[in-house]
Amino acid sequence: MSNILKQNVGSIDRIGRLVLGAGLLSLTVIGPQTAWGYLGLVPLLTGAMGSCPLYTLFGFSSCPVKRA
């Protein structure tokens, strides 16, 4: 289970996800006011947690490589 929640989203990626998620979520209140804006919860939550399940599935990470 800890592999799924391993941090694999870097800082720039995280900020982008938070901005995109908040923007999409705002569509439920302003703009067209459709339920499609709730899709913004996905990038908002993955940005807040710092972990993306799809990145884990495909073995991808946008975190900087730690050097010993």
Side-chain angles (χ1 to χ4, degrees), residues 23-47:
L24 286 172
L25 199 56
S26 73
L27 293 178
T28 61
V29 181
I30 58 173
Q33 298 179 350
T34 65
W36 284 102
Y38 289 113
L39 287 175
L41 288 173
V42 174
L44 193 64
L45 290 174
T46 57

Side-chain angles (χ1 to χ4, degrees), residues 3-4 8 51-61:
N3 263 352
I4 293 173
N8 57 7
S51 176
C52 177
L54 285 177
Y55 278 11
T56 303
L57 183 66
F58 293 114
F60 182 75
S61 177

Side-chain angles (χ1 to χ4, degrees), residues 10-26:
S11 299
I12 295 172
D13 192 4
R14 221 172 164 171
I15 291 168
R17 287 170 185 262
L18 291 171
V19 169
L20 177 68
L24 286 172
L25 199 56
S26 73

